[in-house]
Amino acid sequence: MQDQPHALSRFSVLVATAEEFEQFTNDTLPELLDRAAVHTRKFLKETGQWADDVAHEKLALRWGYELLERFLVCGRLEVPCRPFFLLDSLAAKFFSQPDPMRYHRGLLTPLGRFLDGLASKAVISRDALMALFYHLYGFGQSQVVKVLGLDAMDSQRIYKNFGRWRRDGWQRTVEEIGLTEPELSSLEDQKSQDAKRVSTDAGRLLGEVQTHYRKSEPEHFPCLSGEQWADICRDGHSYDYRVWHLAMCRECLEIVCRFRQGEFPDIPVPAVDLYVRPLQKNGLMVEAGVNGGNGHGMATRRANSRLS
Amino acid sequence: MEWQHEEQIRAYRDTLLSALRARSGRRSGEQAEAFQVFVNQESIGVLDGSRGDTSRISVSRTRAIHTVEIRSESGELVAGVCMQDFDRKTVQFRAGRSTFDISVHNRPDAGTVRVTLQAASSAWARIPNQLAAAMARLSSSVAPVRVPFWATVQAGLVLAVLFLVADRFTDRLELHDMTRRQALSSATQPLEAKLQDTRLALARQEQLLHQLAQTQEETVRTIKTQQQTFEGLHRTVETVVQNQKQLGVNVKAVRRGEKPAGDRTAQAVEAQVNKVLRSMESDRERVFNHIFHLADSQERIARQQQKLERDMVSLQNRELRMSFEQQAVAVAKMMSAQEASKDVASVEVSSEPTVEQKPESKVYLVTFWVSFQDGTSEESIEQLIHEIKGRKGPSNAGWYPIEVNLPKPQTPDEMIESLKKTKIVKAITTSLNTTPAPK
């Protein structure tokens, strides 16, 4: 534990350049993380969402970590500054936004934390977004390619997404969520013992989680009707909508899967089937049978549909 | 149990710290293919870094932009900007070989973001670009116009010619082999048949050569046409370039305030124009001066007019006053003539107020004639006139006409009686026609 005057002097340190900022933040990373966690804890207490248990402490640390990650990138541009005070202002600004984080007591269980962390990561990581199809429904790459109606180039991208996720994405995400190996094993055990109950619980939480995190792409938030999805599947347009929304909406995924089944009988109707660990390389990897999007009602992707 | 929890939390904290340290270590080395752009925690699109060129994404929001984040496909935060409500920032980040230019502008009514990705492609990805550049350089030696499409066509034609030449060469080799084989088999085949085969082979070779010649001719024609097109394009471009240069020189000269060299006609025209402009300028100044003087004169005239109006008013007043006075005298004369028979001194009282008289003041003008004692000095007379605040007219046979403005309380008779008591007054009359006998 540091002595109080020394800690106070560090709090008010002024850094003048980006290099000084990096040096200082590297040296004071633990204090900065604690401070960010304190802000989160304060926010949870003020909003009546706090309880003195491990789950809440981990939640505070995780949100503090995400805040600190942003601070480390953005803070370099704010020099000269006092880093601790800058972190305070960043946290205050972040928590003053409406509904900045997803909080639900059910999401503090290992299962809830897993689903919440996965969806939270999927918002910012395409690897995690594609991995959702496997972790939630057990879809392999080829099935994802078929369901989304991707051409050859984009199906390669799916394989890369799965590869990166398998290599280090999943591990990093699980660490950031704070799930321990015993907790992961416990989840797997629960599934092997009572798969139906786990699926029911996961399905219930999934609705909450997906609805919340789908807000991060407002344009792709609303669900479409069966006819609209059929139109998209036939003409192959709205690539971004397909990729984002189907990964984040179980109901729409069911509609699309039923539509695709006429063409690809091996595509199942998606039911929540939780997979805790990533798809292994020798698992369900089957070469995609989509012929470039042509002749299957799948037009090629608008490569940069949202690039200006 | 409590201890276990603390251990668990500490381990989690250490994990997160390790992740943060690893993140800062990874920042400069990672080369991602696609980057997701987030504005205010909302995804707005993807920048493709695999194409090796510039990608751009821009968005406008009706509210202020607080954060802009760029993340790799694995979710790694590679660049980010935090903004104030009314703020403007332009920053640059490097992520691996890619460079991001982020420009954010928050105005009171909206916020706008523009993110540009300058992606430097890998060595393998650069090969097609380098090839294209080499082709462009090659084409520039034939035609200076560096049009990649034409360069590609030309290169294709060159390759086609090379292929045809190679084909011809191989055909010749085959012909040579065939001839040799035929020579070997000549011992076994009849002479006539061998001759026939040779003729057929020669005809076939001749046909091939003819086709080759035709193809070559077509190719040459095409190349010539292309060259002509290139030359035309080149000339056009040269003309455009010269025009642009000339334009640039002119613009520079104009900027420096100099005249373009070597253009005498333009100089003459410009000098003429300048002269006309200068003369117009002087004319304009003259006109301005005239206008100024006119305005001054107008003002003076207006002042004089006002003064004249004032003088006229005062003159009119004076004339009116004199006219009234004369009328009053005439009326007084008439009245004194009527009352003369009664031998009673009467006083002519003006029925109407004079011009100076205000109706409310009730001052009456009384005119009468006074005869003074002999030997009365003019000074004494003037003093008396002054005392009664009257005015004296010229003497007529020892009678002095005197006008007095009487205020209402005092009647003319009272004033005349008081005057009669004065030592120097010999007699007073209100009319000269009936001259009273002096006392």
Side-chain angles (χ1 to χ4, degrees):
Chain A
M1 193 72 180
Q2 292 174 331
D3 55 331
Q4 198 73 3
H6 179 64
L8 283 173
S9 67
R10 295 192 87 174
F11 287 161
S12 58
V13 163
L14 177 74
V15 294
T17 62
E19 289 72 27
E20 280 182 28
F21 178 85
E22 284 193 357
Q23 183 62 45
F24 182 79
T25 49
N26 274 336
D27 296 344
T28 56
L29 212 51
E31 290 97 322
L32 287 166
L33 179 60
D34 291 342
R35 198 169 177 92
V38 164
H39 281 295
T40 312
R41 200 177 294 123
K42 189 180 164 194
F43 169 75
L44 288 171
K45 282 179 180 171
E46 285 174 351
T47 51
Q49 302 176 123
W50 178 258
D52 283 319
D53 55 25
V54 180
H56 281 84
E57 288 289 350
K58 282 191 170 180
L59 187 67
L61 275 171
R62 186 182 137 213
W63 287 359
Y65 162 79
E66 290 179 8
L67 264 176
L68 191 54
E69 187 189 29
R70 292 191 180 101
F71 165 78
L72 292 175
V73 172
C74 300
R76 298 177 79 254
L77 304 171
E78 303 295 329
V79 290
C81 67
R82 299 180 197 281
F84 277 91
F85 296 158
L86 183 66
L87 177 65
D88 292 348
S89 73
L90 196 72
K93 197 167 187 176
F94 182 76
F95 286 119
S96 66
Q97 293 174 334
D99 199 12
M101 295 286 190
R102 178 67 196 158
Y103 180 86
H104 187 274
R105 279 208 68 86
L107 299 179
L108 295 173
T109 61
L111 175 63
R113 277 159 53 210
F114 179 72
L115 293 173
D116 179 51
L118 212 58
S120 169
K121 192 74 175 176
V123 167
I124 56 170
S125 161
R126 191 185 151 100
D127 297 346
L129 189 73
M130 294 299 107
L132 275 181
F133 287 105
Y134 174 71
H135 286 292
L136 300 180
Y137 316 110
F139 283 5
Q141 295 100 310
S142 65
Q143 287 170 316
V144 173
V145 168
K146 289 171 187 172
V147 169
L148 297 181
L150 305 180
D151 61 10
M153 197 180 84
D154 283 314
S155 46
Q156 285 305 310
R157 200 173 163 196
I158 297 291
Y159 281 89
K160 284 183 181 176
N161 290 138
F162 270 74
R164 272 197 300 265
W165 182 251
R166 178 171 49 243
R167 201 164 53 245
D168 56 1
W170 177 85
Q171 185 64 40
R172 205 185 301 167
T173 304
V174 163
E175 285 174 357
E176 286 173 9
I177 297 169
L179 284 169
T180 58
E181 184 56 38
E183 285 173 330
L184 293 171
S185 303
S186 162
L187 276 176
E188 285 176 318
D189 291 344
Q190 285 174 28
K191 188 193 168 189
S192 64
Q193 287 165 10
D194 193 351
K196 194 176 174 183
R197 187 182 59 79
V198 170
S199 296
T200 307
D201 290 347
R204 184 170 44 79
L205 292 172
L206 199 58
E208 301 261 353
V209 169
Q210 286 188 330
T211 309
H212 173 78
Y213 287 107
R214 215 163 57 231
K215 288 176 189 168
S216 65
E217 285 217 14
E219 290 176 13
H220 306 144
F221 177 77
C223 296
L224 302 181
S225 65
E227 286 179 9
Q228 286 172 312
W229 276 119
D231 184 48
I232 286 176
C233 292
R234 266 194 303 272
D235 298 340
H237 58 80
S238 303
Y239 170 84
D240 293 324
Y241 201 100
R242 274 182 280 159
V243 171
W244 169 263
H245 192 89
L246 292 179
M248 284 288 194
C249 181
R250 187 179 153 206
E251 288 78 13
C252 288
L253 183 65
E254 279 183 16
I255 294 171
V256 172
C257 284
R258 287 184 199 284
F259 183 83
R260 296 282 194 211
Q261 274 178 337
E263 197 173 3
F264 304 107
D266 62 323
I267 293 179
V269 174
V272 177
D273 184 13
L274 200 69
Y275 286 86
V276 176
R277 299 183 194 276
L279 176 65
Q280 293 307 305
K281 198 169 184 177
N282 56 357
L284 295 171
M285 286 186 71
V286 181
E287 196 64 32
V290 182
N291 186 15
N294 298 321
H296 297 278
M298 302 175 193
T300 54
R301 172 204 169 186
R302 289 180 297 117
N304 292 296
S305 55
R306 280 191 288 160
L307 298 185
S308 58
Chain B
M1 196 66 171
E2 189 74 19
W3 176 80
Q4 280 182 343
H5 287 172
E6 282 184 8
E7 274 299 310
Q8 209 176 335
I9 292 166
R10 189 176 296 114
Y12 182 43
R13 180 173 170 274
D14 292 343
T15 306
L16 293 178
L17 284 172
S18 304
L20 283 169
R21 289 200 175 96
R23 193 203 66 81
S24 59
R26 276 196 305 273
R27 192 190 303 157
S28 58
E30 187 169 329
Q31 175 62 19
E33 288 183 354
F35 297 93
Q36 218 170 342
V37 182
F38 294 85
V39 171
N40 290 349
Q41 321 292 326
E42 293 173 0
S43 174
I44 60 160
V46 177
L47 288 172
D48 191 355
S50 62
R51 293 187 304 172
D53 57 0
T54 303
S55 305
R56 190 173 292 112
I57 190 166
S58 54
V59 71
S60 182
R61 291 277 186 267
T62 52
R63 56 199 166 98
I65 288 162
H66 296 125
T67 58
V68 180
E69 293 175 3
I70 297 169
R71 293 180 181 269
S72 66
E73 288 205 317
S74 62
E76 196 81 19
L77 183 63
V78 295
V81 181
C82 291
M83 300 289 295
Q84 301 300 318
D85 276 350
F86 304 108
D87 199 0
R88 184 174 201 154
K89 271 184 194 166
T90 303
V91 293
Q92 193 175 65
F93 283 93
R94 285 192 65 82
R97 287 188 296 269
S98 303
T99 307
F100 294 96
D101 289 301
I102 305 174
S103 174
V104 194
H105 188 191
N106 276 338
R107 293 186 302 274
D109 56 338
T112 52
V113 183
R114 192 179 68 245
V115 182
T116 309
L117 167 64
Q118 294 273 357
S121 52
S122 64
W124 284 109
R126 278 199 299 271
I127 288 174
N129 294 337
Q130 287 171 348
L131 275 175
M135 292 302 285
R137 279 197 297 275
L138 188 66
S139 68
S140 68
S141 61
V142 178
V145 183
R146 297 187 179 187
V147 185
F149 172 71
W150 295 116
T152 312
V153 170
Q154 215 171 18
L157 286 169
V158 170
L159 286 173
V161 170
L162 287 173
F163 173 75
L164 288 169
V165 169
D167 187 43
R168 188 175 170 187
F169 182 68
T170 50
D171 281 343
R172 278 191 176 177
L173 282 178
E174 281 176 11
L175 178 66
H176 180 69
D177 288 341
M178 195 181 292
T179 311
R180 198 173 57 179
R181 282 198 299 272
Q182 284 169 355
L184 287 171
S185 61
S186 61
T188 55
Q189 288 183 359
L191 185 62
E192 192 65 25
K194 282 190 276 183
L195 193 61
Q196 187 64 28
D197 288 345
T198 308
R199 279 178 187 159
L200 284 171
L202 280 171
R204 202 163 55 244
Q205 291 299 322
E206 194 176 358
Q207 194 179 355
L208 278 171
L209 282 171
H210 182 67
Q211 284 177 356
L212 183 62
Q214 279 183 340
T215 312
Q216 278 180 327
E217 279 177 10
E218 282 179 13
T219 308
V220 168
R221 272 202 302 275
T222 311
I223 288 173
K224 280 182 179 173
T225 312
Q226 294 293 335
Q227 277 184 341
Q228 283 170 359
T229 312
F230 286 147
E231 283 168 7
L233 274 170
H234 179 50
R235 279 196 296 275
T236 310
V237 169
E238 271 189 345
T239 312
V240 169
V241 167
Q242 281 176 354
N243 288 340
Q244 280 182 339
K245 280 181 182 174
Q246 187 62 36
L247 186 66
V249 168
N250 289 347
V251 168
K252 281 179 184 172
V254 168
R255 279 183 184 162
R256 289 174 190 159
E258 295 170 3
K259 292 173 188 173
D263 194 346
R264 295 186 183 282
T265 312
Q267 278 180 345
V269 169
E270 195 176 342
Q272 192 72 23
V273 168
N274 284 339
K275 192 177 173 185
V276 171
L277 282 173
R278 277 197 295 274
S279 120
M280 283 173 72
E281 185 70 23
S282 60
D283 286 347
R284 196 177 61 168
E285 282 178 4
R286 268 201 304 277
V287 169
F288 276 147
N289 286 334
H290 282 310
I291 290 169
F292 178 74
H293 288 311
L294 277 173
D296 195 27
S297 303
Q298 194 179 9
E299 200 175 338
R300 223 168 31 242
I301 287 166
R303 281 201 299 272
Q304 285 175 355
Q305 191 180 0
Q306 285 176 357
K307 191 182 172 188
L308 280 171
E309 282 174 356
R310 280 198 300 272
D311 292 348
M312 280 178 72
V313 167
S314 65
L315 188 64
Q316 280 175 350
N317 287 343
R318 205 179 304 136
E319 283 176 356
L320 277 171
R321 196 175 60 225
M322 286 175 71
S323 166
F324 280 131
E325 284 172 358
Q326 285 169 1
Q327 282 177 8
V329 169
V331 169
K333 284 176 182 173
M334 284 170 68
M335 285 180 73
S336 60
Q338 284 173 1
E339 293 173 1
S341 57
K342 296 176 185 176
D343 199 14
V344 176
S346 66
V347 177
E348 181 77 27
V349 178
S350 63
S351 59
E352 290 178 8
T354 58
V355 175
E356 293 83 0
Q357 267 184 317
K358 290 180 183 174
E360 296 78 13
S361 64
K362 303 290 183 185
V363 174
Y364 298 94
L365 182 66
V366 179
T367 307
F368 50 90
W369 282 261
V370 179
S371 171
F372 294 97
Q373 299 289 348
D374 296 334
T376 305
S377 65
E378 282 291 323
E379 193 179 345
S380 303
I381 294 167
E382 287 297 330
Q383 191 179 352
L384 177 67
I385 300 290
H386 182 69
E387 282 174 3
I388 63 173
K389 295 178 182 172
R391 290 182 293 278
K392 178 172 71 82
S395 169
N396 183 10
W399 292 94
Y400 288 90
I402 292 173
E403 289 176 0
V404 178
N405 288 323
L406 279 181
K408 193 177 179 184
Q410 191 177 15
T411 60
D413 294 338
E414 287 171 357
M415 196 202 69
I416 288 168
E417 287 302 319
S418 66
L419 273 178
K420 281 179 180 175
K421 292 172 185 173
T422 312
K423 286 181 180 176
I424 60 169
V425 174
K426 187 165 62 179
I428 295 176
T429 181
T430 55
S431 173
L432 278 181
N433 293 334
T434 53
T435 307
K439 286 193 281 189

